[in-house]
Amino acid sequence: MLVQVALPVPLYRVFDYRIPADVNAFSSGSIPKVGCRVEVPFGRQTLIGIVINHIASADSSVPSNKLKAIKRCLDDEPILNEKMLTLAHWLARYYHYPLGDVLSVMLPSLVRQGKPLDLLITHWRVLPQVTDDAFRANAKKQKQQFDMLKLHGERGASEDVLLLEGMQRSFLKTLEDKGLIERYIQKRSAPTPVSLAKMPLDLNEEQQQAVDAIIAAHEAEKYSGFLLNGITGSGKTEVYLQAMQAVLETGKQVLILVPEIGLTPQTRARFASRFAAQIVLLHSGMTNTYRLQGWQDCRTGHAQIIIGTRSSILYPFANLGLIVVDEAHDSSYKQQDTLRYHAADVALYRGLQDQIPVLLGTATPTLEHLKLVDDGKLIEYQLRTRPGNAKPAPMQLIDARLQTTHQQTQDDGARYDTGLTDKLIGAIKQTLEAGDQVLIFLNRRGYAPVLLCEACGWQADCPRCDAHLTVHYSSQNKQNAYLKCHHCDWQAYIPAVCPDCGSQNLDAKGMGTTRLSENLHAIFANPQTSKQTYPIIQIDRDTTRRKDSWENIYQRINEGKPAILVGTQMVAKGHHFPNVTLVCLPNADRGFLSADFRSPEHTAQLMIQVAGRAGRGDKAGRVLIQTLQPENELLLKLVKDGYLSFARSLLQERKMMGLPPFSHAALIRCEGKTLAATTQALKDAIAGLPASHNLAILGPIDAPMSKKNSRYHSQLLLLAKNRPQLHQVLNQWWPSVLLMPSAKYLKLTLDIDPVGW
């Protein structure tokens, strides 16, 4: 008897190993079972792999005298059951990725390293005898952190969850030293049945139809894919909650996927306020120990509600009953390296595998999901009204060509352009004076996207990428000024003079969120120029880098005081700002002018999501879009007819052009030290295609960013009319491509169903 082991190596095969003569040396005292981890010799190193199969010695292609023995079996029982191994085989087959590497992606890092599965996590809780009188009047920060822990009740919470919510280890230690809180190791006992912590809300007719259909599919124990197509603020979350209730009451688990880490704490709070249940958060920001514990909780059934980002869809579940993919249109569900899977597609596969309902919720469905509805593979339920009959915020175009751009005066008397029209400034002022909040969306962080010499035209470019360096600084603190590449993170000081001509006329061109915030500060927050001042709250990756920063910003916004929020796409996804009644988009043209054929779709989705932040409370909202191309047909259709009509129009264009979702794509990327080498390798790959392939070929061409991080990138696109045809060609062709002589020393990757090229 031999065992076949999948190892984390980039080879499209499994490896045969013999069992030691003294099998009793294993802790189980028996042959390693399929799904267990084993430690094996591989060349000069020792690797940890997963047992995939048992075979007879006669069935091995390796001579018996060359077979090596397993060193150690790490598990008495399989850590991956048959269903998870089936999922791994499907992922490897569909995405044409080595099985061992697929399993490596599916497992937490500590499991891959061979650590035991029963690692314990530190929890913190408030001691019962402690009262608020224990704090001095000046210990406000300690009292705030204490109150945050107190909200978790008698059991407290794990350290990772507390850190995610903004608590700091130093304060936990201080409060422990003062005898106010204690740390403990929580014993893993069976969870109590889920109960309601708060009564459900009344549903309207559209919501009720969707909930009834999901519950019916759950009760029938059969797979159904649902597209919950609801305008922003239409109550999609309430549909999730009431569908979940029926599933949780039967003792099954529910998985909720969210697109970004920033959404997990508020999503947890929303579900925790409805259900008394074991809720587990899963995302890359957690420590390795916590992720291992979360993986175990999912596998053993201890976790009842699981909220996670895309990698959570690859976790094992004891008794999964429902999968919810929130903001299902979001491109962050697509993994862009290693195993290039799409979490929404894998969710549908797992629903079919487990015979459970899968719910894709969005206000802006992708064209792929609309095509699945048309093909009868998804059942669509539309939510077209907001609770209380609140109306969606109407969108209005401002023609920037006909409007005067607002000018400000610097300290030295020089005038500068704020990038905002007087009409937009007037609307912002009117909203603030009414006591409401304004959200201004600019999807470009930093101070300015380009540093330009006005004498000779020199631009500050990244030495490692085909990209301009972004200017980062604040006029209040120019000592910390620097240039940064947002693709490879290369940084440099801002030069005092032009490196080419020596001129001092260096100017930061364009506008990022920092510059926009400063311009708004000069207009609305400067007591020298404004009788009434308003806070400017900047929300982007630069201002939310610290662990507690996003929570602090969220708290400031929810105080409800008049303020201007300036943010990137971070503010567009799933946030509820009830006091925002005006949303402004000062730069709406960029996305409609991109060479990427998907860009209009993604731009429209982002615009609708941002627009949906307006008027979510009791007050009506409105959206102002500043544009230099008000006659753009796509923009006009989006504003006048709404997203669904816009998407249907794009879908018809895609059909005429034979582009996805009416064809199926595979993108081959090649990375190397020279562009000539990468291009030649892809030419050789085309020459190796079977003569009867019947595929459309685009390339080889330079990648959209041909140079990144000092490496050169070329790409090749294959399009097929039907999916089986594409995969049939790839099965034969792709392994041979990796073995080409010209591919040596190059990195070749295959992306099935790419989201852009």
Side-chain angles (χ1 to χ4, degrees), residues 310-466:
R310 62 173 175 255
S311 60
S312 311
I313 195 62
L314 304 179
Y315 275 47
F317 300 97
N319 197 12
L320 194 58
L322 172 67
I323 301 174
V324 176
V325 184
D326 193 26
E327 308 288 355
H329 65 277
D330 200 284
S331 59
S332 59
Y333 282 124
K334 173 71 173 179
Q335 176 72 26
Q336 296 291 0
D337 55 16
T338 63
L339 174 64
R340 289 169 168 79
Y341 65 93
H342 197 294
D345 295 341
V346 180
L348 294 172
Y349 176 83
R350 293 205 70 171
L352 178 64
Q353 188 183 33
D354 291 344
Q355 289 296 295
I356 60 172
V358 178
L359 179 58
L360 309 180
T362 177
T364 53
T366 65
L367 302 193
E368 281 75 12
H369 290 159
L370 291 175
K371 176 72 162 49
L372 289 176
V373 170
D374 294 343
D375 294 343
K377 295 178 181 179
L378 285 178
I379 303 167
E380 182 182 24
Y381 285 91
Q382 292 189 14
L383 306 181
R384 289 164 287 197
T385 58
R386 285 180 165 184
N389 289 320
K391 300 297 181 185
M395 294 193 287
Q396 177 187 348
L397 295 180
I398 295 177
D399 189 346
R401 301 170 304 180
L402 305 178
Q403 293 287 324
T404 305
T405 304
H406 189 83
Q407 302 281 318
Q408 278 295 117
T409 305
Q410 293 178 332
D411 295 338
D412 59 3
R415 304 278 288 173
Y416 68 92
D417 191 340
T418 63
L420 305 173
T421 59
D422 286 335
K423 186 172 182 178
L424 205 62
I425 294 290
I428 294 169
K429 185 177 181 181
Q430 181 184 0
T431 304
L432 294 171
E433 289 175 347
D436 298 330
Q437 295 175 340
V438 178
L439 170 60
I440 303 179
F441 173 77
L442 184 65
N443 202 22
R444 182 178 264 166
R445 63 189 175 100
Y447 184 82
V450 179
L451 183 67
L452 178 72
C453 174
E454 294 187 331
C456 71
W458 170 86
Q459 295 180 14
D461 292 331
C462 177
R464 303 195 301 193
C465 303
D466 282 337

Side-chain angles (χ1 to χ4, degrees), residues 121-127 149 154-159 162 168-177 179-186:
I121 290 179
T122 299
H123 283 63
W124 293 88
R125 63 187 169 199
V126 172
L127 290 170
L149 178 55
E154 295 179 2
R155 291 189 301 182
S158 70
E159 187 171 292
L162 293 173
Q168 298 173 23
R169 281 196 180 91
S170 59
F171 280 101
L172 289 170
K173 185 70 171 66
T174 300
L175 294 173
E176 182 188 33
D177 293 342
L180 304 177
I181 66 174
E182 67 175 354
R183 70 176 82 197
Y184 70 100
I185 301 298
Q186 187 180 40

